[in-house]
Amino acid sequence: MTILASAAYHWDWGAVFNHNVEKLGLIGLKYSLLVCALSFVFGSALGLLVAGLRLSHKPPFAQIAYIYTDFFRTTPVLVQLIWVFYVLPVLFGWTFSPVTSGVIALSMNAGAFFAEVFRGGIEAIPQGQWDASKVLGYRRRSTITWVILPQGMRNALPATANIFISLLKDSSLLSVIAVPELTYQVQTQAAVTFRPLELYTALAVAYFVLTYPLSLTSSWLERRFRIR
Amino acid sequence: MTFESHLGDSDATRIDEVERARVFGGAKAIEFVDVHKAFGKKIVLDGVDLAVSEGEVLVLIGPSGSGKSTLLRCIARLLPIDSGEIRIGGQVIQDGAAGWRRRRDITRSSGMLRKEVGMVFQNFNLFPHKTACENVAMGLRLVRQLPKDEAYKNAVEGLTRIGLGEHLDQYPGQLSGGQQQRVAIARALALRPHVMLFDEVTSALDPELVGEVLNVMRELAQSGMTMLVVTHEMGFARDVADRVIMMDGGMIVEEGSPTSLLTHPVHARTQQFLQRVVDR
């Protein structure tokens, strides 16, 4: 029965390849990339800060950083997103636009992953690098700027490409708070044209085309910056 | 005193007496007074008393875990001591009995002395993301605050003198172990220290690369540098050391001139250790 039904489905790719869908698709793509890029920038800055706090081992800050990373890594992005969009206004009276809410939620989430990636990258640096810097008389700040961070970032680089991929895919969740990104556009079109199979298939292909080069970049980076 | 004085020959390259007097005022280069240090329950320095004169080459030998490396690391202030006192050029750099306030003051007042001590490690600890030249120039810029072109000029000179003029732009990963260790020596010397600490600097090298590093150290010793060398190279100790110290269980077991200590050790533990090293 199922086989018959699927065989009987009449695929109409005209629902995907038409002027309207292409136009809305481009708008959606623009929003997806914008949200993703902003979250990447804010998330990495936040992640660096949090990693720094955790590595500082200073009593209140390190614990706060630890709680933050664990909380955001162990709860679903979708829940975080809804929480920022619906709960913050009620709790604190802060109301954000859907795009801002989306960027906040994704940045906070990515920040937790960035923090772990940066921390790992920095902890992988041998103690000898700190010792050598100290004996040479470098100040702590100089050591971090010129010795530790350049190497830590290099160690972390391949993993950050993976965070970008995750962000691009997670940006589709913003459709639930009506951010007009790629998935949202496809959802509305599917509702109008009654052609969800074609549209969602095309959407999956679109995400694949966007993320696959990134995944190749990630493995290239891994090879390029392998620890000698 | 110029950088040239550290490597090369002839009398002109010896650290001149005026400079020495300016820095250490005739005091001992390094002094240990009843220094104790433990990692948890494991005692690594058990009442060490030691005085090293300016220009002296001191070689430390002993089984692994005997406290030789710890001793060097305490001078370099990579490790705090539990009790006793360490002085460089007569100035206290570590005081085990001090409270945190006094420790802070010591750290501040002896900050300048950090430049006077250079250290070379078993694993080189070069900065892998920097070329040989950058490794040397970085300290000149950050610590001696030379302008960029001058720092690089000095770095090129230092590396060329040490026979690495053709490897200036190579990264540590592209160099042999011996070359890397020579870069590490050049990096430490560039800051013009008055004391150099060598912590088993040839132990991680292939046997055929040991010689090139020892030669550099030999020349450095001839130039009048004060050196503390932890090594298992008994040939080097015999030829270059002014004094050899045998350590075991965190204590100085025996000390003397290389000829007497290495050929006629008095202490049973020294005899045993030397026997094992020779048999190796």
Side-chain angles (χ1 to χ4, degrees):
Chain A
M1 186 60 200
T2 338
I3 294 162
L4 277 178
S6 59
Y9 186 79
H10 176 67
W11 292 85
D12 178 9
W13 292 102
V16 174
F17 299 105
N18 63 64
H19 179 67
N20 199 31
V21 170
E22 278 160 19
K23 195 183 76 184
L24 292 171
L26 273 180
I27 294 170
L29 181 63
K30 206 181 76 185
Y31 272 98
S32 293
L33 290 178
L34 178 79
V35 163
C36 181
L38 286 176
S39 307
F40 190 80
V41 171
F42 294 138
S44 55
L46 184 64
L48 193 57
L49 177 76
V50 172
L53 290 179
R54 263 197 83 170
L55 290 169
S56 75
H57 298 290
K58 295 236 163 67
F61 305 114
Q63 274 80 344
I64 292 167
Y66 178 76
I67 291 165
Y68 162 79
T69 39
D70 266 22
F71 177 77
F72 278 91
R73 289 196 316 147
T74 51
T75 49
V77 194
L78 183 60
V79 177
Q80 294 161 14
L81 178 67
I82 291 171
W83 201 85
V84 168
F85 189 64
Y86 293 106
V87 183
L88 281 186
V90 177
L91 274 183
F92 304 105
W94 302 339
T95 316
F96 302 112
S97 74
V99 173
T100 311
S101 302
V103 171
I104 290 172
L106 288 184
S107 299
M108 296 288 280
N109 183 265
F113 285 93
F114 269 117
E116 286 302 278
V117 164
F118 289 152
R119 188 173 66 94
I122 287 168
E123 281 182 343
I125 298 169
Q127 178 62 31
Q129 296 286 306
W130 292 93
D131 291 350
S133 308
K134 197 168 182 191
V135 171
L136 286 166
Y138 295 5
R139 288 167 195 283
R140 190 174 162 79
R141 182 184 288 260
S142 302
T143 305
I144 290 170
T145 313
W146 300 106
V147 179
I148 302 304
L149 280 184
Q151 294 184 62
M153 290 298 116
R154 218 166 274 223
N155 292 342
L157 205 55
T160 59
N162 289 329
I163 295 182
F164 196 86
I165 293 172
S166 295
L167 273 174
L168 197 55
K169 291 188 293 177
D170 290 346
S171 71
S172 67
L173 295 170
L174 270 57
S175 59
V176 300
I177 56 168
V179 173
E181 47 70 60
L182 206 50
T183 302
Y184 180 81
Q185 302 288 2
V186 166
Q187 273 175 357
T188 49
Q189 279 304 298
V192 176
T193 60
F194 301 109
R195 285 287 163 190
L197 270 59
E198 290 85 347
L199 282 161
Y200 279 110
T201 307
L203 180 63
V205 172
Y207 277 116
F208 174 77
V209 169
L210 287 171
T211 52
Y212 190 62
L214 287 168
S215 133
L216 290 181
T217 311
S218 163
S219 35
W220 178 78
L221 287 173
E222 233 162 89
R223 265 177 283 126
R224 173 76 175 70
F225 291 110
R226 185 167 295 158
I227 297 164
R228 284 179 288 268
Chain B
M1 187 196 73
T2 58
F3 177 58
E4 278 86 322
S5 62
H6 291 316
L7 285 171
D9 45 3
S10 91
D11 292 347
T13 64
R14 298 187 72 85
I15 297 171
D16 65 271
E17 300 298 327
V18 180
E19 178 70 13
R20 263 188 216 169
R22 186 185 69 73
V23 178
F24 291 151
K28 290 285 181 189
I30 307 271
E31 280 167 289
F32 275 61
V33 183
D34 196 26
V35 173
H36 291 259
K37 168 80 189 165
F39 294 120
K41 280 185 181 161
K42 184 169 167 34
I43 294 163
V44 280
L45 291 182
D46 196 1
V48 173
D49 285 295
L50 176 68
V52 185
S53 306
E54 273 283 346
E56 187 175 5
V57 177
L58 182 74
V59 167
L60 296 132
I61 60 170
S64 59
S66 60
K68 318 178 294 283
S69 291
T70 306
L71 192 140
L72 293 195
R73 294 174 79 82
C74 287
I75 300 172
R77 274 173 288 180
L78 292 173
L79 291 174
I81 58 175
D82 297 338
S83 71
E85 207 170 85
I86 302 177
R87 296 185 213 124
I88 296 181
Q91 195 174 341
V92 177
I93 60 142
Q94 286 219 53
D95 179 356
W100 70 270
R101 204 180 292 272
R102 164 110 173 98
R103 278 176 199 244
R104 187 195 59 192
D105 292 343
I106 290 172
T107 309
R108 281 188 191 156
S109 63
S110 63
M112 288 297 289
L113 283 174
R114 205 179 266 297
K115 276 209 297 266
E116 306 294 350
V117 179
M119 184 164 182
V120 185
F121 303 87
Q122 181 176 358
N123 300 318
F124 328 134
N125 291 341
L126 289 175
F127 304 130
H129 60 302
K130 298 280 181 190
T131 63
C133 195
E134 288 167 341
N135 262 280
V136 179
M138 213 161 120
L140 292 169
R141 299 198 63 196
L142 291 175
V143 181
R144 285 186 49 207
Q145 283 160 358
L146 295 185
K148 191 173 181 179
D149 47 344
E150 206 176 319
Y152 277 83
K153 208 178 116 234
N154 276 2
V156 170
E157 279 171 18
L159 286 167
T160 307
R161 196 166 302 118
I162 227 160
L164 292 167
E166 285 162 26
H167 304 283
L168 297 173
D169 296 322
Q170 281 179 309
Y171 288 90
Q174 297 168 306
L175 299 171
S176 74
Q179 289 167 336
Q180 288 187 60
Q181 197 57 293
R182 279 148 68 201
V183 174
I185 294 173
R187 180 175 71 171
L189 287 179
L191 298 173
R192 299 182 190 171
H194 283 74
V195 178
M196 283 286 285
L197 312 173
F198 293 88
D199 188 7
E200 298 202 28
V201 294
T202 56
S203 300
L205 299 178
D206 290 335
E208 77 270 24
L209 303 178
V210 169
E212 62 187 75
V213 173
L214 291 182
N215 283 338
V216 170
M217 290 165 68
R218 206 163 274 156
E219 283 179 41
L220 193 59
Q222 280 159 11
S223 80
M225 175 66 77
T226 311
M227 292 164 63
L228 274 78
V229 185
V230 170
T231 188
H232 294 295
E233 298 292 333
M234 294 305 152
F236 179 84
R238 193 162 40 236
D239 299 348
V240 183
D242 295 316
R243 185 155 54 121
V244 180
I245 279 183
M246 163 76 192
M247 287 190 74
D248 194 19
M251 284 184 279
I252 294 174
V253 173
E254 186 172 353
E255 63 170 282
S257 72
T259 36
S260 69
L261 191 136
L262 297 177
T263 47
H264 309 293
V266 178
H267 205 285
R269 272 189 287 187
T270 315
Q271 291 166 355
Q272 217 173 37
F273 173 73
L274 288 173
Q275 193 57 48
R276 251 183 249 136
V277 173
V278 171
D279 288 347
R280 181 176 59 136

